[in-house]
Amino acid sequence: MLNIILFGPPGAGKGTQSAKLIEKYSLVHLSTGDILRAEVAAQTELGKAAKILMDKGILVSDDIVIGMIDAKISKHMGGKGFIFDGFPRTLPQAESLDKLLTTHSTSITMTLALEVDEKELFHRISLRGKSSGRADDQDEATFHKRMNVYNNETSPLKNYYSKQGKLKQVKGIGEVDDIFKALCIEIDKGN
Ligand code: AMP
């Protein structure tokens, strides 16, 4: 299987590039943010509790997101592989993902980290906020909160994957198609 983590801060282009990658490589897209927003839209108990945290840019508990991913992985095993987008975001999530994949006799193939500077991220999130309807995209203080969470809890995972020899860093600034090509080169090299 081809199991890719598309890694990066808010606004790095994970959603945009995931959509292109799943088409080219016939992968299943697993975005914990999208799954949580579907729960919010359906007004489930989980969605109602998650919304309060999401609107503030705070992470939802590891147990909840790991449970969601576990269910989705089991449902889609047997396919060509997965793109994980916005997951894992903490060390316990990364460790649980490795364990889950091992129980299915597979593993992470590589982690592709999109590198974008904070000024550009803020610009992109501000633009997205005008059309996404996402409360967390519309407030500067929430953007900074999300960046703090990313820098403190998520960014250290680069070290986790680097130690496993699985981290590939890709420049995430420029034309969408050029970034896509750069990602494909890394995938084709390592696959
Ligand atoms: P995203 O769409 O990936 O930017 O996620 C939006 C929000 O959903 C985040 O700010 C968190 O509140 C929540 N969320 C998404 N993925 C995760 C995750 N893997 N762990 C914890 N919270 C998450």
Side-chain angles (χ1 to χ4, degrees), residues 10 14 31-34 36-37 50 53-55 57-62 65 85-90 93 128 134 136 146:
K14 301 187 295 294
S31 156
T32 41
D34 285 353
L36 286 165
R37 279 184 289 277
L53 301 171
M54 293 168 78
D55 285 354
I58 299 170
L59 294 184
V60 173
S61 84
D62 287 336
V65 286
D85 162 2
F87 178 91
R89 262 174 152 103
T90 63
Q93 291 182 20
R128 189 170 77 182
R134 284 176 55 169
D136 59 346
R146 289 162 80 194

Side-chain angles (χ1 to χ4, degrees), residues 85-187:
D85 162 2
F87 178 91
R89 262 174 152 103
T90 63
L91 190 58
Q93 291 182 20
E95 289 169 346
S96 297
L97 179 59
D98 279 346
K99 283 192 200 130
L100 277 174
L101 292 174
T102 304
T103 63
H104 290 287
S105 309
T106 186
S107 60
I108 291 298
T109 313
M110 71 182 72
T111 295
L112 294 167
L114 288 167
E115 303 295 336
V116 181
D117 63 77
E118 190 162 332
K119 197 169 157 229
E120 172 69 13
L121 293 171
F122 179 62
H123 174 66
R124 290 184 190 176
I125 292 284
S126 308
L127 274 183
R128 189 170 77 182
K130 294 193 176 120
S131 57
S132 70
R134 284 176 55 169
D136 59 346
D137 283 347
Q138 290 177 23
D139 175 59
E140 184 165 348
T142 311
F143 170 78
H144 291 300
K145 176 73 198 164
R146 289 162 80 194
M147 282 307 301
N148 279 341
V149 169
Y150 174 78
N151 289 327
N152 293 331
E153 300 194 48
T154 307
S155 180
L157 294 185
K158 284 195 214 172
N159 195 29
Y160 178 83
Y161 291 108
S162 172
K163 277 190 194 151
Q164 296 184 12
K166 292 184 175 173
L167 184 73
K168 316 272 174 204
Q169 288 170 292
V170 173
K171 196 174 127 222
I173 295 193
E175 295 296 324
V176 168
D177 282 338
D178 292 336
I179 300 165
F180 177 60
K181 275 183 207 144
L183 292 171
C184 293
I185 287 171
E186 290 298 341
I187 294 171

